Structures are given as C-alpha cells and as structure tokens.
Amino acid sequence: MGKVERKRWSEEFSEWYNELIETAGIQDKRYPVKGMNIWLPYGLKIMRNIEGFIHAEMERTGHDEVLFPALIPETEFQKEAEHIAGFEGEVFWVTHAGHEPLDVRLIMRPTSETAMYSMFSLWIRSHADLPFKIYQIVNVYRYETKHTRPLIRVREISRFFEAHTAHDSFEDAERQIKEDLEIFDRLANLLALPYIISRRPEWDKFPGAYYSLGAEVMMPDGRTLQIGTMHNYKQNFARAYNIQYETENGEHEFVHQTTFGMSERLLAAVIAIHGDDRGMVLPPTIAPIQVVIVPIPKKNAEADVFAYARELAEELRTAGLRVHVDERDIRPGRKYYDWELKGVPLRIEVGPRDVEGKNAVLARRDTLEKVTVERDKLVDEVRTTLDKIHENLYDRAREFLEGHIKRVETIEEAKEVFEDRRGIVEIPWCGEEKCGLEMEEILDAKMLGTPYPEGKAKAPVGKKCPVCGREAKFIARFARTY
Amino acid sequence: MGKVERKRWSEEFSEWYNELIETAGIQDKRYPVKGMNIWLPYGLKIMRNIEGFIHAEMERTGHDEVLFPALIPETEFQKEAEHIAGFEGEVFWVTHAGHEPLDVRLIMRPTSETAMYSMFSLWIRSHADLPFKIYQIVNVYRYETKHTRPLIRVREISRFFEAHTAHDSFEDAERQIKEDLEIFDRLANLLALPYIISRRPEWDKFPGAYYSLGAEVMMPDGRTLQIGTMHNYKQNFARAYNIQYETENGEHEFVHQTTFGMSERLLAAVIAIHGDDRGMVLPPTIAPIQVVIVPIPKKNAEADVFAYARELAEELRTAGLRVHVDERDIRPGRKYYDWELKGVPLRIEVGPRDVEGKNAVLARRDTLEKVTVERDKLVDEVRTTLDKIHENLYDRAREFLEGHIKRVETIEEAKEVFEDRRGIVEIPWCGEEKCGLEMEEILDAKMLGTPYPEGKAKAPVGKKCPVCGREAKFIARFARTY
C-alpha cells in the first residue's frame, strides 16, 4: 500500500480502494466476467461475521429464513408495472437450456419481490398469519452499464440481504419500518459507521414502492454510499400478486408490505471509511483476527519468546477473543506490514525483555500508538483497548460525516460545496419535482431526499426554494453518490 | 401423513417422500419453475445444521472458503473437452442482458471447475503454495430432463458443496481423497447414515476425471442415492487450464487436482431413510429442536404445568440442548402430531401428576416408547436417550443396507434380486466395458462400480464373468439408482 497515498478528497481514493480490495485479500477482480468478482477467504470471513450479526437480529425480531430460486419466469416478473419498468433494462436473461430455447424466458433475480409474492398469495390466508416476516441472503444480478467497482457496483451481488414482510394495516407496516431502522442502527454501531437516513424523492423511489428510505454513509472522497434501504409498498404489490387475507370479520383485504435491503456494500463502507494508507482498519466486532501476536526473537532467546506468545494467546482465547500468533519465519517488520494491511485492530509485540519483565507491547491499528502493559493486566487492557479502538473509529467517522453536511440557502452556496470538498448539501425546497430535478441538474448531484424522521424534514419558517422562490416546505439533501 | 402408508418396497415411497417434504416444512414445490423449489424455514434450519458441521470440518482440515460467481463464460467452459461434452447438453444459457445480446454467452454453473481453474493458474505459483485447498457452498444449475424430485433431482441445487484442491504429486492428491473419505465418514455418522463407497466404472466417471468415487445410501424403496463424490483429476484440468507450479528445483510442473462434492441430497437421505408413517425422524445432532416439551394441563392445575414445563426447558437449555415448549392453545394430541411430523427426536410430556411427583414422561420419536423419569435425573436421561435414538437410527439403517446387498454369481440370480426386492447386487466381472454395459442392459440397473478401497474390489479366485465366461477380476455392484 505504501506506494499509494490516500488523498481523501481526490480521485486517488478510487485507486486506493480498488488496490486494497485485492492486496488485503477481500476479492479477486480478475474473474473473466466484468463486474463479477471472487470472494477470497479473508474477505469472506469478515462478511460472514457481518452476516452472523444480521442472522441473529433477524431471529431476535421473528423473521424466518427462506431461500428462493434465483430464476424468475418472465411472466411473474411482469405483474407489477412500475417494477418491471424499473428493472427490465438491467436484467440478465436465461433464454436456452441444453440445446433448446425455453418456452418461458427466465430472469436472474435483480431482487426477489416478483419471485416471492405469488407464493405469499398461497401462504397468507388469515389475519392470524400476519405479520408475516421472512428474509434471505442470496446472490442477485444487475446488468450495470456504469463503471463497476468491487462490493459497490457489481453485476453479481453475491451477498444480498432482503427481508420481506406482510401486515394487516398500514400502521403495522410502519411499525415494521421502525423495527428495520432499529436493526439497521444496531448493525451500523457494530460496524462503527455513522449514517443518515433520507426519504427518497418520488422520482427516485424503489420501483413499486409507496415510499423509500435510504441510509447513507460518507465515503472519504465526499461521495455518499447507500448501504441500506427500507420500503413501504402499501398494497401495490399485494394488488398485483393478489395477496389477500381474511380479517376477523371474515372480509378479504389486501396485505400491506415492506422490504428491507442491504448488501456487501456494508463491507465496502467499513473498508473505505476506516482504512488508511497502511490498509484496512477493522472494527474489532467483525475482525476475523482481533489480536495478532508477533514474537520478536533475539538469538539465544527464541524459544522463550514463542512460548510466551503462545501463552498469552491461550489466555486471550480463553477470555473469548480471536487471536493469532504469527510464527512465520520472516522479519517482524514484514509481519507488521501484512497485519496492518489486513486491518487487525490490535497487535501485541513480545520480545525477550517482555518475557523477563512479564510485559507485552500493545500497538493500536487505528492510532498506531504503542503502550507497554503488565501481563497480569493483559486481558483487561486488551478488552479496554479494543473498545477504545471501536469508539475511536466511530467518533472520527462521525466527525467526518458531520463536518461534511452543510446547510445552505442558495444555489451558489450549494455549488461551492461541490466545487470545494463535496459532501452533503441541505437546502430549502418547495417540494415540487420540477424544482428538485432542476437542482439536481445545476448541482450535478443527486437528491438523496428529505431528512428522516419526518420531523427533521421541514424547512424553517420563511425559507424560500432557491429555484422558484416560493415558500420552502422541506429541507432537501443533495450529494454526489456511488 | 396418516393417509399415506409407507410401503418401503413399493412405488408409494415416492408419494410418501414428496408429501412429507411439504407437510414437514422442508420445501415448497409450487414455485413456478419446474425443478426449482423454495426452502422453507424449518427445512433450511436442518440444512444449516448440516452445513455448520461441514464448515467446521473444512476448517479443521485447512480448506479455505471462497465464493465464485455463478456465471461462467462459454469460452472458459469449453477448455476441457470431456468436461464440456459431459455438461453442455444440460446447462442453462444466459444470452441477453438488458435489451442486448451478450458478446460471449454465459453458462449458469453446473459445477465450478471451469470457473475456478483459470484462477488457479494465477494463484498457484510455487511448491510452497501446495497443497492448495478451497471450498464453497453455492447454488448450481442443471437442466434435468428426467422426472424431478425435491432435494434429489432438481434444476437448481441451492446447497451444493464443492471442495477443490491442487497438489504437487499424485500421491498427495491420493492423500487428499483419503482425507475426503474421512470427512465424509464423520458426516455420515453425524447423520446416522450407513453408506458404501464404489469406484465408478470408466464410462461413468465425472467428465474430466482420472477416477471417481461415489458414496451411496440405500433408500427405503431399494434404490440407491449418491450423496457424495470424490474425484482424482490427475493433471487433466491442470493441462487444460495451464495450472503449473515451480518445484524446489526450479522446474515447472502441472499440479494434480481433486474435488469432493455433496449437496442437499444429504438431507434427502436423512428424511427418506429415518422417516416413518408419522413423518420425519431427525438425528438429534441436526434437529433444530431436539426436545419438545408438551404441557398437559387439567382444569384447576394449568399454571403449575406450564411453569413446570418452562423450568424443565430452562434446565435442559442450560445443559446445552435445543428445547422448545409448545404452549399453543390446542389439544396435546394435535401437538404430538405436529412434532412427530417434524421429526423432533424426543418429546417430554408433563401433566399435573408429573408436577406433584417431580417426574416427566419421555417419548422417543424413533421407537415411540414412553418412560417416566425422575426430575433429578432428567438431564442425564435426556442426554442418554438422545444418544440411544441416534444409535438406533444408525443401527436400523445399517441393518437395512446390509440386508439389501446380495452377492450373486449368475445373471439369473441378479435378475431375481431386482424382481424381488431390489437393493444392491454384487457380481463377478471380467473388467471389460462391454460386459459391464451388457449387464446394465440385462438388469436394467446401473453399475455403481467396484467396492472401495480397492482391496475389497477383487473377485475371489475362480469366479467367472457371467457375460463372457472369462476369469473375473472384480466384484461389480449394480443397483437401481436415483
């Protein structure tokens, strides 16, 4: 990594990121299909830790795990008009099997609404079946024509999380969205990722949704990355797929539906936001190795150092920590380099003097600080330090995010932000699509939407929409996005 | 289930199996693509338990987990001649993306050799990289034209396990096959599944393999089901994909390769082999619920029974068991019916008399026996009983398998076996393909191959091949297969 300086506000972020994905062992991009990458063992381990938390949260909140087939018949896919309009230009088509053309062409799922909802109409019968809550983590496909980027914009999203729920009322669906937001918040804390939630403008809703929420993080180059979405579909899909239930009074009504989506972009955000010139910096919560111990042998003292390192490791493992002793026959400096690249949050160095003095040197990955601790206090010190690392990762990312949200009143001020250092601009808006789209055009930025929850979305009294000059109803957020 | 008698040796097995897959909550077969089914929550939980063991075994034996894309360019797929010949008639083709035809058509992986091995040639450089051992659990696709059957013969295998290894010598590849066999044996014990291993005849090897081993179980209708395969590829794929390494002497040599494959058929075997007229019978090792407690309240004593049930549950959970208390407001008989269908290995019934007497009634799912145990001894009794259930499942399946392997000397005897009760026929064989194929034809059965390890494959001295009358070299196994 040494060769690539990380210039947070320059185009070199992209180079830094792409190189790190490979050098840190996350993915291999040389697979011979554009936009489809190979998960390498280390990257997959981190992702599995993130997924482990998601599975646990799903269980906690009463979602059942299912697995649907990856192929959807064209005929099912076409049932919801907005949905098909939104996706048909970017799906992969399976047209032949063996040597014959298929009677009905199949679509590789870009998302699973159209695969799932004809089954919902069979599974859901009565109010007693509601709320109905399922989820899956699967591979989905999108024929991206824009520039692809590992974990961020790909043609095969291998780790796509989608929860789908059905409810007996709009209010219960709204409760579900609140639960999704709470789960997302817990997950974001686990990853030490501060974020903002916006309600998407009408023209940028998920195809078929009544409204869409998006969760964004701030990438080091000042662009935002959407890492979570929650959609309230109202009864749109229920009508298209005829998902009805019998009420307590024996009437038949359409269910209300929601979805909650996330993906491997969670890992992209962790890598981009916490990393530095030396490589990744992983939050201890998801690091496959939380503590790496590097023995620093000197001639005539080797055995002691290795034995001591193994002893410390055993003690830390007993305390529930994920520990690795690097006993490779290479120089310590090379080991530091490798584990810093891979983002191990804490390194412990032990030399002959530490063995004698019953000490150990802790080196933090986030601040690169070193402190010597007594062996007796090792477990406690390691635990405390890991907590501090997590806190520090979160705090510095939050400071960065907050420092790059700027509230302005005029188009000129907004333009300045994007010329200067990017970030998110908050600006008064009348609420008309025409004015919103015009601002997108002038700023060459996307409207993320209005701040959520709704209480934060209202413009202060007296503010004007900078495009039409009328009274502003909302605060609108704009950003350059991934 | 009550309606379908399970007649082990009749065609009704098929009806029994198909119905159970749905009633026990394993899969839903109503998805609108033939041969592609939906994993339901309960079935998926069992499968996840099986996979958990596989992941642990892979970690124990130093295999790294990876994830490759599901699509393979036609150009990569065509590099190994036998492989493409073996698969091209049964793959799904992706020919279009968005509104345009693709420049290079993509194949939905039927297995991953051709996806992986061009990357192996980049990853493997030197003898120090060997042995190289990776695996993945992914969805694969086969355009089956035969009758499809859930978990057994499907067009989307959603849970396909494949380990791929590379070695510096034939001997080291052979050691890998031994390791695979050992892992398989541990897994089969976990599932209480007795099995046999055969070395496939030349005409039925995996396309591109030097030799193939298959592991078979005996299904209740006397047909065999292949639930595991191990292949030694020698250098066949290494030559096609140019996978070379530098030896210690600086020479370049092709690697030797092996693969090890399994799938959701493991679960099919568990369901078919252990189940009975009342439903599934799950080995305690993989049952999502090992013990279900059913309170049997009587008027005026309700609270006590439920509180007592919860107390017992807590005690068993503390001991590390997976326990569920069924507190639904329905009759106990209905609860018994549900949990027997779902194969919960042990039921505990508690009524007011058990509360008073500090007892509990244990009802085994495998034998349907009931015994009353003292509360103080509950944890021990439950543990012992679960072990006994596992042992009994294994023993009765082994007895069934052994009772249906018949060694014969003439075609007439072999024909009788298949007319009578099916099973596996072992018969002397000269080793010539012509004679083997003729026996397949006459018997309307498949040659599974010769017994493995090789020591067991030799025909006793003086035995003749029943087709050509020459001295027999081998014992060949024949069966009707799934």
Side-chain angles (χ1 to χ4, degrees):
Chain A
M1 295 307 304
K3 281 167 280 170
V4 184
E5 285 268 303
R6 185 182 184 194
K7 295 176 182 152
R8 286 182 174 260
W9 289 93
S10 80
E11 287 310 313
E12 287 181 42
F13 163 72
S14 183
E15 196 189 327
W16 171 88
Y17 176 82
N18 280 330
E19 191 177 326
L20 186 54
I21 290 291
E22 292 208 333
T23 54
I26 306 301
Q27 291 198 325
D28 195 315
K29 301 191 296 278
R30 291 172 294 176
Y31 189 75
V33 181
K34 178 182 142 72
M36 298 192 180
N37 305 316
I38 300 156
W39 280 92
L40 297 173
Y42 190 69
L44 191 53
K45 278 202 181 92
I46 308 169
M47 196 63 215
R48 294 288 191 219
N49 286 344
I50 298 174
E51 288 171 29
F53 185 82
I54 295 174
H55 283 298
E57 285 293 294
M58 287 293 104
E59 184 158 348
R60 184 180 67 82
T61 52
H63 290 76
D64 282 323
E65 189 185 10
V66 296
L67 274 185
F68 271 74
L71 296 176
I72 304 170
E74 183 172 13
T75 43
E76 286 300 316
F77 190 70
Q78 288 169 334
K79 287 185 180 169
E80 212 284 337
E82 280 183 35
H83 193 78
I84 168 84
F87 280 106
E88 71 177 344
E90 56 175 75
V91 293
F92 286 93
W93 293 94
V94 180
T95 60
H96 290 69
H99 302 291
E100 303 297 328
L102 292 169
D103 291 339
V104 176
R105 300 194 302 168
L106 301 170
I107 283 165
M108 299 191 69
R109 64 180 158 214
T111 171
S112 301
E113 281 75 6
T114 61
M116 288 181 170
Y117 295 168
S118 62
M119 299 308 299
F120 274 39
S121 75
L122 300 173
W123 291 339
I124 296 169
R125 295 274 159 211
S126 110
H127 61 91
D129 298 325
L130 303 175
F132 181 81
K133 299 160 78 169
I134 61 171
Y135 79 101
Q136 62 180 8
I137 301 180
V138 294
N139 43 4
V140 301
Y141 297 84
R142 298 188 184 171
Y143 184 63
E144 293 286 353
T145 47
K146 291 189 207 166
H147 189 65
T148 60
R149 194 184 304 274
L151 307 180
I152 291 178
R153 185 171 299 280
V154 287
R155 290 184 173 177
E156 181 188 53
I157 304 171
S158 349
R159 312 311 300 155
F160 182 74
F161 162 89
E162 49 182 334
H164 295 254
T165 67
H167 306 267
D168 64 4
S169 65
F170 181 73
E171 291 66 39
D172 202 58
E174 288 289 274
R175 256 195 297 280
Q176 185 56 50
I177 298 284
K178 295 236 154 30
E179 184 178 270
D180 298 341
L181 287 165
E182 185 216 323
I183 293 166
F184 183 81
D185 188 63
R186 289 162 64 100
L187 178 59
N189 281 329
L190 182 91
L191 306 178
L193 291 177
Y195 63 93
I196 56 164
I197 302 276
S198 308
R199 180 173 169 144
R200 295 275 181 265
E202 285 298 304
W203 62 89
D204 196 31
K205 293 186 310 189
F206 182 82
Y210 169 61
Y211 72 78
S212 292
L213 303 182
E216 257 86 22
V217 291
M218 174 68 67
M219 298 288 265
D221 64 350
R223 290 160 77 179
T224 57
L225 179 72
Q226 170 184 296
I227 59 168
T229 54
M230 300 89 184
H231 311 290
N232 189 326
Y233 294 159
K234 244 181 164 173
Q235 296 172 312
N236 294 347
F237 283 94
R239 285 176 204 279
Y241 289 84
N242 192 30
I243 314 170
Q244 296 191 44
Y245 70 99
E246 193 174 320
T247 67
E248 290 192 60
N249 307 325
E251 284 151 22
H252 286 82
E253 290 196 6
F254 290 110
V255 298
H256 286 257
Q257 287 175 275
T258 81
T259 57
F260 174 18
M262 299 188 289
S263 74
E264 56 212 42
R265 279 187 166 194
L266 293 166
L267 178 55
V270 165
I271 294 169
I273 289 170
H274 301 316
D276 64 22
D277 285 9
R278 300 192 184 195
M280 297 201 296
V281 184
L282 292 175
T285 43
I286 58 163
I289 300 172
Q290 295 170 311
V291 180
V292 64
I293 305 184
V294 179
I296 307 173
K298 294 232 170 84
K299 294 281 176 221
N300 310 325
E302 292 199 15
D304 283 342
V305 172
F306 284 98
Y308 187 67
R310 280 179 223 129
E311 254 177 57
L312 298 189
E314 207 34 52
E315 208 171 308
L316 291 167
R317 276 189 203 115
T318 308
L321 295 161
R322 298 188 287 273
V323 184
H324 175 69
V325 181
D326 187 348
E327 303 199 23
R328 287 178 298 168
D329 188 19
I330 53 174
R331 292 225 314 273
R334 175 66 201 280
K335 296 181 184 180
Y336 297 176
Y337 176 91
D338 286 353
W339 298 114
E340 285 175 353
L341 180 58
K342 286 188 178 289
V344 174
L346 190 65
R347 180 176 74 231
I348 299 182
E349 306 165 6
V350 290
R353 267 201 291 178
D354 298 305
V355 180
E356 278 166 35
K358 292 191 190 289
N359 290 326
V361 176
L362 309 191
R364 281 174 65 158
R365 176 65 186 87
D366 59 334
T367 58
L368 306 173
E369 287 166 349
K370 289 188 183 191
V371 291
T372 301
V373 303
E374 291 170 34
R375 196 211 146 131
D376 288 350
K377 296 182 183 152
L378 184 71
V379 171
D380 283 349
E381 286 289 340
V382 166
R383 279 221 184 94
T384 314
T385 310
L386 290 175
D387 286 348
K388 278 186 193 155
I389 292 169
H390 196 274
E391 223 171 284
N392 179 46
L393 291 181
Y394 183 81
D395 287 345
R396 71 188 195 188
R398 194 189 51 197
E399 203 177 304
F400 187 78
L401 170 64
E402 287 173 357
H404 292 90
I405 300 177
K406 186 143 191 218
R407 192 158 285 207
V408 301
E409 296 197 2
T410 68
I411 294 284
E412 286 63 39
E413 287 173 294
K415 279 171 88 171
E416 255 170 52
V417 172
F418 288 114
E419 272 160 26
D420 174 19
R421 24 151 246 168
R422 308 196 193 173
I424 295 165
V425 158
E426 295 186 340
I427 191 166
W429 173 44
C430 62
E432 293 297 318
E433 180 162 335
K434 196 178 148 291
C435 292
L437 291 174
E438 198 168 324
M439 281 197 269
E440 284 194 341
E441 174 101 24
I442 297 170
L443 299 175
D444 186 22
K446 247 184 84 164
M447 188 193 282
L448 300 178
T450 52
Y452 187 90
E454 321 267 283
K456 291 158 64 185
K458 277 195 184 154
V461 179
K463 300 293 175 193
K464 307 287 180 206
C465 172
V467 180
C468 66
R470 280 173 297 186
E471 183 76 18
K473 287 185 188 150
F474 302 104
I475 292 296
R477 287 174 175 155
F478 291 85
R480 306 262 165 91
T481 64
Y482 271 96
Chain B
M1 296 305 305
K3 281 165 282 165
V4 185
E5 284 269 303
R6 186 184 183 196
K7 295 176 183 155
R8 286 181 175 260
W9 290 93
S10 81
E11 288 311 312
E12 286 181 41
F13 163 72
S14 184
E15 195 189 328
W16 171 88
Y17 176 82
N18 279 330
E19 191 177 326
L20 185 52
I21 291 290
E22 292 208 334
T23 54
I26 306 300
Q27 290 198 327
D28 195 315
K29 301 192 295 280
R30 291 172 294 176
Y31 189 75
V33 181
K34 178 182 143 71
M36 298 194 181
N37 305 317
I38 300 156
W39 280 92
L40 297 174
Y42 190 68
L44 191 52
K45 278 201 180 91
I46 307 169
M47 195 63 215
R48 293 288 192 218
N49 286 344
I50 298 174
E51 289 170 30
F53 184 81
I54 295 174
H55 283 297
E57 284 294 293
M58 288 293 104
E59 184 158 347
R60 183 180 68 80
T61 52
H63 291 75
D64 281 322
E65 190 186 10
V66 297
L67 275 184
F68 271 73
L71 296 176
I72 303 170
E74 183 172 13
T75 43
E76 286 300 316
F77 190 70
Q78 288 167 335
K79 287 186 180 168
E80 212 284 339
E82 280 183 33
H83 192 79
I84 168 85
F87 280 107
E88 70 179 345
E90 57 176 77
V91 293
F92 286 93
W93 293 94
V94 180
T95 60
H96 290 69
H99 302 292
E100 304 296 329
L102 292 169
D103 291 340
V104 176
R105 299 194 303 167
L106 302 170
I107 283 165
M108 299 192 70
R109 63 179 160 216
T111 172
S112 301
E113 281 74 6
T114 60
M116 288 182 170
Y117 295 168
S118 61
M119 298 309 299
F120 274 37
S121 75
L122 299 173
W123 290 339
I124 296 169
R125 295 273 160 213
S126 113
H127 61 92
D129 298 326
L130 302 175
F132 181 81
K133 299 159 78 169
I134 60 173
Y135 79 101
Q136 62 181 8
I137 302 181
V138 294
N139 42 5
V140 301
Y141 297 84
R142 298 189 184 171
Y143 184 64
E144 294 286 353
T145 47
K146 292 190 206 163
H147 189 65
T148 60
R149 193 183 305 274
L151 307 180
I152 292 179
R153 186 171 298 282
V154 288
R155 292 185 170 176
E156 180 187 55
I157 305 172
S158 351
R159 313 309 302 155
F160 181 74
F161 161 88
E162 48 182 334
H164 295 254
T165 67
H167 306 267
D168 63 7
S169 66
F170 181 73
E171 291 66 37
D172 202 59
E174 287 290 275
R175 257 194 297 280
Q176 185 57 49
I177 299 284
K178 294 235 158 25
E179 184 178 90
D180 297 343
L181 287 165
E182 185 216 323
I183 293 167
F184 184 81
D185 188 63
R186 289 162 64 99
L187 178 59
N189 281 330
L190 182 92
L191 305 177
L193 291 177
Y195 62 93
I196 56 163
I197 303 276
S198 308
R199 180 174 168 142
R200 295 275 181 262
E202 284 299 304
W203 63 88
D204 196 30
K205 293 187 308 188
F206 183 82
Y210 169 62
Y211 73 77
S212 292
L213 303 181
E216 257 86 22
V217 291
M218 175 68 68
M219 298 288 264
D221 64 352
R223 290 161 78 180
T224 57
L225 179 72
Q226 169 185 295
I227 59 168
T229 55
M230 301 87 185
H231 310 290
N232 189 327
Y233 293 158
K234 245 182 165 173
Q235 295 172 312
N236 295 347
F237 282 94
R239 284 177 205 280
Y241 289 84
N242 193 30
I243 314 171
Q244 296 192 44
Y245 70 99
E246 193 174 319
T247 67
E248 289 192 60
N249 308 325
E251 283 152 23
H252 286 83
E253 291 196 4
F254 290 110
V255 299
H256 287 256
Q257 288 175 273
T258 82
T259 56
F260 175 18
M262 298 188 289
S263 74
E264 56 211 42
R265 278 187 167 194
L266 293 165
L267 178 55
V270 165
I271 293 169
I273 289 169
H274 301 315
D276 64 21
D277 286 9
R278 299 191 184 195
M280 298 201 295
V281 183
L282 293 175
T285 44
I286 58 163
I289 298 171
Q290 296 170 311
V291 180
V292 63
I293 305 183
V294 178
I296 308 173
K298 295 232 170 85
K299 294 282 176 219
N300 310 324
E302 291 197 16
D304 283 343
V305 173
F306 284 98
Y308 187 66
R310 281 179 223 129
E311 255 177 57
L312 299 189
E314 206 37 50
E315 208 171 307
L316 293 166
R317 276 189 204 114
T318 307
L321 295 159
R322 298 188 287 273
V323 184
H324 176 70
V325 181
D326 187 348
E327 304 199 22
R328 286 178 299 168
D329 187 20
I330 53 174
R331 292 225 313 271
R334 176 64 201 280
K335 295 181 183 178
Y336 297 175
Y337 177 90
D338 286 352
W339 298 115
E340 284 175 354
L341 180 58
K342 286 187 178 292
V344 174
L346 191 64
R347 181 176 73 231
I348 299 182
E349 305 165 7
V350 291
R353 267 201 292 177
D354 299 303
V355 180
E356 277 166 36
K358 291 190 192 288
N359 290 327
V361 176
L362 308 192
R364 282 175 65 158
R365 176 65 186 86
D366 58 334
T367 59
L368 305 173
E369 288 165 350
K370 289 189 185 191
V371 290
T372 300
V373 303
E374 291 171 34
R375 196 210 147 133
D376 288 350
K377 296 182 183 149
L378 183 70
V379 171
D380 283 349
E381 287 288 342
V382 166
R383 278 220 185 96
T384 313
T385 309
L386 290 176
D387 286 348
K388 279 187 192 155
I389 291 169
H390 196 274
E391 223 170 285
N392 179 47
L393 292 181
Y394 183 82
D395 287 345
R396 70 188 196 189
R398 195 190 50 198
E399 203 176 305
F400 187 78
L401 170 64
E402 288 172 356
H404 291 90
I405 301 178
K406 188 147 192 213
R407 192 158 285 207
V408 302
E409 296 196 3
T410 66
I411 294 283
E412 286 62 40
E413 288 173 294
K415 280 171 86 171
E416 254 170 52
V417 172
F418 289 114
E419 272 161 24
D420 175 21
R421 24 150 246 169
R422 308 197 193 174
I424 296 166
V425 158
E426 294 185 341
I427 191 164
W429 173 46
C430 61
E432 293 298 318
E433 179 162 336
K434 197 179 148 291
C435 292
L437 290 174
E438 198 168 322
M439 282 198 269
E440 284 194 340
E441 174 100 23
I442 297 170
L443 300 174
D444 186 21
K446 247 185 83 164
M447 188 194 281
L448 300 178
T450 51
Y452 187 91
E454 321 266 285
K456 292 158 64 183
K458 278 196 184 153
V461 179
K463 300 293 175 195
K464 307 286 179 208
C465 172
V467 180
C468 65
R470 281 174 296 185
E471 182 78 17
K473 287 185 187 149
F474 302 103
I475 292 297
R477 288 175 175 153
F478 290 85
R480 307 263 163 93
T481 64
Y482 272 98

